[in-house]
Structure formats: C-alpha cells, structure tokens
Amino acid sequence: MPEYDALIVGAGFAGLYALHKLRGLGFSCRVIEAGTGVGGTWFWNRYPGARCDVESFSYSYSFSEEIEQEWTWSHRYAMQPEILVYANFVADKLDLRRDISFGTRVTAAAYDEKRHNWRIATDAAGELRARYLVMATGCLSVPKVPDLPGLGNFRGEVIHTADWPREGCELAGKRVGIIGTGSSGVQAIPIIAREAGHLTVFQRTPNFSIPAWNGPLPEDQRKAMKGEYRNLRSKARNSYAGDYADEYYLTIMDMTAEQREAAFELRWREGGFNYQYAFRDMMDDPQANELAADFVRRKIRAIVSHPATAAALCPKDHPIGSKRLCVDTGYYETFNRPNVTLVDVKADPITGFTADQLTTRTHSYALDTLVLATGFDAMTGALTAFDIRGRAGRTLKDTWQDGAGAYLGIAVAGFPNLFVITGPGSPSVLANVILAIEQHVEWLSDLLLYARSHHITEIEADSTAQDDWMSDVRASADRTLYTHANSWYLGANVPGKPRVFMPYVNGFSIYEAMCKAIAADGYRGFHLLRQTEEAA
Ligand code: N01
C-alpha cells in the first residue's frame, strides 16, 4: 500500500498550494482530486457569469513573485474561465500534476491509533496510507439540491450552478427558470436573461447586491498594480478581510445625514465589498446597518422600473452583510427586461412540477430548463460526505452532530494528524479566501516541520482548547449582526444541520496574530506525542 507523509484531498487553490509547500519541504505528498482537472470551485462552477468577487489582484496567490509577475489579470474581477486558466498555469509552472490523482474520490479515511497514521480508501487509486491527512476540500464544494416537491416529474434539463456541464448548456431562446438569488444566482441571472427566450426568477429571499463595475484593466493600471504587489499584499495581510482595500475608516453614526449619503454613494460607485468594509459600525450597530441597507433599497427602487418588482427585490428580513453580500453586473437592471419575470416563492410557494411546468400555489410556469442556484452544504459538507473516523472509530459527522468546530479552524480533537484548510472556526469565508488558504498552509507547514524536527508522530487538538476557540468564535459572532440572518454561515440553509456560527468574525490579521502566538508558545492547545514517549 503506498505510504505518504501527507495525503491532500482536493486540487483547488488550497490543495495546490499545500502540495507545493509541503513537497518543497521534503514531505512526500499525494493529492486526490475528484475532478479531472485542477481549480476546485473554479473547475465546477462554470455557470454563465461566474467570476470572483474579490478583485483579481487580491484574489490570487501571493507566495510567488514570479507567478505574480508572469501572470496578468485582464479584468478587475476575472471570469471563471480565466481563473481556471490561472490555476492550470500555476499547476504547470510548479509541476504539480505528477503528484495528483485526478478523477479519484476519497471514499473513507480511518486513523490508525497504533501506527499514528491514516488509512485512506479511494474509488480509483486503491488504499493509501499517510501520516497526515490534509483536507483541502473547500468551504463551498458540496452543492445543495433542495427538496422541491415533485421535481422528478420535470422532463426538462435541471442544472445546478455548481455542477455546470463542461460542454456548456444551450439556453438560447429557451424558457429558463432559476431558483436561488444568492451570489451564484445574482451572477448568472443577467447573462442567462440575455440568452434565454424567457427567464423566470423564483426568489425566496432577496439579497443585497452591490455593483462590481467590472471591466478590463487598462495596461497602465495592470503595470502599476504589478509594481505595487508587495505593498498591496502586505496591506492585505494586515487587514480584517485579507484584502488591500481601505477598511473601517468611517463610522456611519458619527456622520451627518449628508455626509452619510455621500459616503454610501461613493462606496456604491466604487463597488464591491468596500460597501461593507469601509464602515466600522455597519455590522455592530443595528441603526447604522439599517441606514446602509436603506441606501441600497433606495438604489434598487431607482433602478427597477416596476414598483412591485422593485419592492419584491428589496431585502427586508436581515441586516445588510449578515448574509454574504452579492457583487453583481447589471443584476437589478435585468428585471427591467421584457423577457424576465420575478416570482416571489415565499408569498406563492412552489407546490410541484409537471413534465414541463413549475407550479406554485397560484400559477404555473412553462419551462424548458431549470437552473438551481441553491447553494452549498457550506464549510462542513465535504468533510462529512464520507466516513472520516478518528480515535475509537468515531466519525467526524457524529463528532459534529451538535455543531462543527475545529481548533483555529484547522484541527479537530479526536482526529490526530488531520488538518482542515479553512475549516469551521477559521476566518476563510469572511476573508479573501486565497490569502486565508495561504496563511493556513504556511502555518501548517511550520507545524509539520516542527513535528519532524522534534520527532513528533502525533498532533492533536486539545478538546478544551478547541471548545474555548469555538466559544470565542460564537461569542464574537453574537456581538455582531452576523447572527441575525438565516445564512449558510450558520448552516441555516441545510435542513437538520445544527445551527452554529462557523466562521471566525474577528478578522484575518487578528486570527493570524493568534496563530503565530500559539506557535511561538510551542503550539499551545495541541497534544504533541514524541517518538520517545511513544516508546516509553
Ligand atoms: O448560494 P446561497 P450561492 N426554494 O446559499 C435559494 C460563494 N459564491 O451559490 O435565502 C427556493 O447564497 C436561497 O433562498 P433563501 C459566496 O460565498 C461566491 O448563491 O434560503 N429558494 C438562496 O437565494 C456565496 O455566499 C461567488 O430563502 C431556495 C439561494 O437558493 C456562496 O458561495 C459566486 C431553495 C442560495 O443562495 C453561496 O452562494 C457564487 C428552495 N427550496 C458563490 N433552496 C463569487 O462571486 C435554496 N434556495 C466569488
């Protein structure tokens, strides 16, 4: 049975960097990847309009100046095909493919308490053993298909945005329905509307969306950004969100009404997440949040011509930012098109399907194609999709039955030598996830180097340290407005999933400082078993 130092699951941005980093330090590694290519989320999410919503100069690896200088981003926010080409470029440049088994799934993993390593079963590469199991499976990688009544009756095509066919999908002139108006739906709707004969948007909860103002980056700007990379990266590394945008320099409640209006307008015109991160009190003070939310609602009403449609598109049941902000290109404008209909399925719920219709309580809608932009079993889906068994054969799924947690969002008590890149309890999804990935991989590499040089064979999070960490994650979130929405951050989008706020809300730079302090303190909160103790 092949035996490695590290078995890495997933060849997205986390898995690629983990392979590069650990291999470079002399660890033998194998990556297992279900897809037939690298790129992770960008390999699967090929829906029309898919693109990053953190600026590309930030949403890219910072660990290699050579890669930074050789690669040139074409747009402020790159489209999915370009990001996928980038992932392939990195994989080729670093010669990563030779250590990746593509088209292969891990089907089970069990910790061998005697040998202090993992036995891993796969569907196409047999059984493997590894000292360390590194889950680089992504936070948003298991698509959620909702339990829609009678969906099996529908004879048209049904496509999830996160499992879009590689060969594309012919929508021209068709009657297309889309369920879901989160980031995926908001990106896909404007593009599908241009192609489809008619598009019916089935919306249950409207979301707040800020314009991206995306466009090609002029040559001089690209050059200037490349020249500035080190400053930009260092600014991102010292920020809340892991991004180089200026943050928290305004307090909504300290401004006059005129100043506020001007500030909101400016952030709207700048576009993207800065609408949230410019304001220090937006996620703490309900009154401040409501003012920011009201500005966006007024924008929606100004853009959307039909008052009833505009009213239906205005979010009312959650603070702005408590569900992840969407960043769009022409989303609200799309509802002025004559071939687009908005259906409020909270007011008029979906009751069933016929061969070519979706029916609600009061209407039926003829459809050729149904697009599901219905999200993911976020943060834990990929970690509980198959049996991962730790000490005494206990599964991770059972361990997390009352809520998921990991010390630093990286290690789980009872699962020695298992590490999660951007797991529950890490800042990951509230930060620029690429930078969060880099930080996790670098911190983990240091830990594994330390283990190697100190003859440590087993690394395990202490359960009290983990509980304290997760208590802090929850308490910190409870002090904000993040917990005032039924979001996937809480697992609220998956029926039966325990509601526990999973991301670390105190910001990337504070998180990184804590990780450094823990390392400097001899990896406080971890049990480190030395070979000599083992022999004794
Ligand atoms: O998923 P979501 P997503 N009947 O969970 C609706 C990242 N991302 O794929 O809110 C009717 O946000 C659901 O309605 P409701 C980003 O982090 C990034 O859009 O539950 N509707 C909601 O509208 C993002 O936050 C980018 O009432 C149903 C939608 O489906 C995360 O991925 C692009 C339903 C799901 O929204 C997830 O985004 C895309 C039902 N039975 C994604 N079930 C970038 O730009 C669900 N819905 C980088």
Side-chain angles (χ1 to χ4, degrees):
M1 187 187 310
E3 196 155 339
Y4 300 93
D5 291 326
L7 191 294
I8 300 162
V9 188
F13 281 97
L16 293 179
Y17 187 39
L19 171 59
H20 171 66
K21 187 79 189 165
L22 292 176
R23 201 174 67 178
L25 294 171
F27 292 101
S28 61
C29 299
R30 187 87 214 152
V31 176
I32 302 293
E33 167 56 54
T36 52
V38 299
T41 196
W42 301 104
F43 176 87
W44 300 103
N45 284 264
R46 296 167 190 251
Y47 61 85
R51 65 164 69 92
C52 56
D53 56 9
V54 170
E55 292 185 21
S56 294
F57 270 89
S58 199
Y59 190 87
S60 50
Y61 286 127
S62 66
F63 68 83
S64 161
E65 287 191 42
E66 210 178 318
I67 290 174
E68 282 177 345
Q69 293 305 322
E70 274 184 38
W71 183 265
T72 302
W73 291 108
S74 68
H75 284 64
R76 181 179 180 188
Y77 301 98
M79 296 292 293
Q80 173 271 334
E82 186 173 352
I83 303 174
L84 191 57
V85 173
Y86 172 75
N88 278 279
F89 163 77
V90 172
D92 291 337
K93 170 117 192 120
L94 303 177
D95 188 21
L96 298 178
R97 287 176 210 283
R98 64 186 157 93
D99 288 317
I100 305 176
S101 299
F102 290 106
T104 305
R105 273 185 191 278
V106 172
T107 52
Y111 187 64
D112 184 331
E113 294 188 60
K114 284 206 182 81
R115 294 176 62 180
H116 309 299
N117 65 16
W118 284 88
R119 218 178 50 243
I120 298 126
T122 71
D123 62 357
E127 281 214 341
L128 314 156
R129 269 189 188 268
R131 167 78 68 198
Y132 303 116
L133 178 58
V134 179
M135 300 301 290
T137 39
C139 296
L140 296 153
S141 48
V142 174
K144 178 84 193 66
V145 176
D147 194 8
L148 296 165
L151 180 60
N153 299 331
F154 185 61
R155 290 284 145 256
E157 203 170 3
V158 180
I159 316 168
H160 197 291
T161 45
D163 197 12
W164 202 263
R166 288 186 79 172
E167 62 284 6
C169 176
E170 186 54 60
L171 298 175
K174 289 198 174 158
R175 298 165 301 180
V176 180
I178 183 165
I179 299 178
T181 51
S183 299
S184 304
V186 161
Q187 286 186 336
I189 285 164
I191 311 289
I192 297 177
R194 276 190 243 147
E195 224 185 305
H198 195 90
L199 176 65
T200 309
V201 178
F202 299 97
Q203 173 192 266
R204 191 164 64 182
T205 311
N207 268 303
F208 290 97
S209 188
I210 306 297
W213 309 117
N214 195 23
L217 289 167
E219 180 58 28
D220 56 338
Q221 205 175 326
R222 289 189 233 165
K223 262 206 185 122
M225 299 284 271
K226 280 192 177 190
E228 271 296 294
Y229 251 135
R230 296 283 49 81
N231 288 338
L232 297 174
R233 300 299 197 186
S234 137
K235 196 171 170 197
R237 201 107 196 181
N238 289 300
S239 72
Y240 175 91
D243 197 2
Y244 49 64
D246 292 335
E247 291 177 334
Y248 303 126
Y249 50 97
L250 295 168
T251 306
I252 294 171
M253 298 314 293
D254 283 353
M255 289 187 272
T256 64
E258 292 72 29
Q259 287 169 333
R260 257 195 310 260
E261 193 67 7
F264 290 146
E265 183 65 37
L266 184 62
R267 269 12 92 183
W268 176 272
R269 298 226 156 273
E270 285 171 359
F273 278 101
N274 206 24
Y275 190 82
Q276 179 170 341
Y277 292 132
F279 301 103
R280 69 175 78 237
D281 52 348
M282 198 204 269
M283 294 313 294
D284 301 332
D285 181 339
Q287 215 183 329
N289 187 283
E290 178 52 27
L291 289 163
D294 184 59
F295 179 87
V296 176
R297 287 189 210 109
R298 282 187 278 125
K299 282 289 183 194
I300 297 170
R301 288 195 287 267
I303 296 169
V304 179
S305 337
H306 195 285
T309 306
L313 285 166
C314 285
K316 296 164 203 80
D317 73 344
H318 61 278
I320 185 167
S322 59
K323 284 184 161 195
R324 194 168 181 278
L325 272 188
C326 301
V327 178
D328 72 277
T329 299
Y331 177 64
Y332 295 117
E333 290 82 349
T334 298
F335 293 91
N336 293 334
R337 293 177 65 100
N339 70 332
V340 175
T341 308
L342 180 69
V343 177
D344 178 351
V345 293
K346 198 168 256 170
D348 190 13
I350 297 170
T351 51
F353 289 83
T354 66
D356 61 355
Q357 287 183 333
L358 179 157
T359 56
T360 62
R361 199 180 285 156
T362 63
H363 283 77
S364 43
Y365 300 88
L367 301 176
D368 303 306
T369 303
L370 178 66
V371 176
L372 299 177
T374 45
F376 302 87
D377 183 355
M379 303 203 76
T380 58
L383 299 165
T384 53
F386 61 91
D387 256 12
I388 300 181
R389 290 181 184 268
R391 285 202 189 282
R394 184 140 199 250
T395 66
L396 194 53
K397 199 172 182 173
D398 284 346
T399 304
W400 282 352
Q401 64 189 344
D402 297 323
Y407 183 41
L408 305 179
I410 292 181
V412 186
F415 294 80
N417 293 354
L418 170 93
F419 302 100
V420 184
I421 306 299
T422 66
S426 92
S428 58
V429 291
L430 292 180
N432 170 4
V433 76
I434 306 259
L435 188 59
I437 283 168
E438 289 187 315
Q439 184 276 340
H440 280 49
V441 167
E442 286 157 14
W443 191 87
L444 175 61
S445 307
D446 287 346
L447 170 59
L448 301 191
L449 272 183
Y450 179 89
R452 189 165 70 188
S453 61
H454 289 77
H455 309 289
I456 288 162
T457 51
E458 193 175 81
I459 306 166
E460 183 180 358
D462 173 71
S463 59
T464 306
Q466 179 178 313
D467 290 347
D468 289 349
W469 180 262
M470 289 313 292
S471 300
D472 184 47
V473 167
R474 285 192 280 275
S476 304
D478 283 340
R479 287 192 289 273
T480 71
L481 300 174
Y482 277 108
T483 49
H484 294 220
N486 289 325
S487 68
W488 57 257
Y489 296 143
L490 271 162
N493 63 327
V494 179
K497 189 165 172 173
R499 292 204 182 188
V500 170
F501 195 86
M502 293 177 279
Y504 177 83
V505 295
N506 294 328
F508 174 82
S509 58
I510 292 181
Y511 171 84
E512 180 164 42
M514 292 188 75
C515 286
K516 280 184 181 160
I518 284 165
D521 209 1
Y523 293 98
R524 177 169 26 97
F526 285 93
H527 297 291
L528 305 174
L529 180 74
R530 282 167 220 275
Q531 243 160 18
T532 45
E533 295 165 23
E534 195 185 332

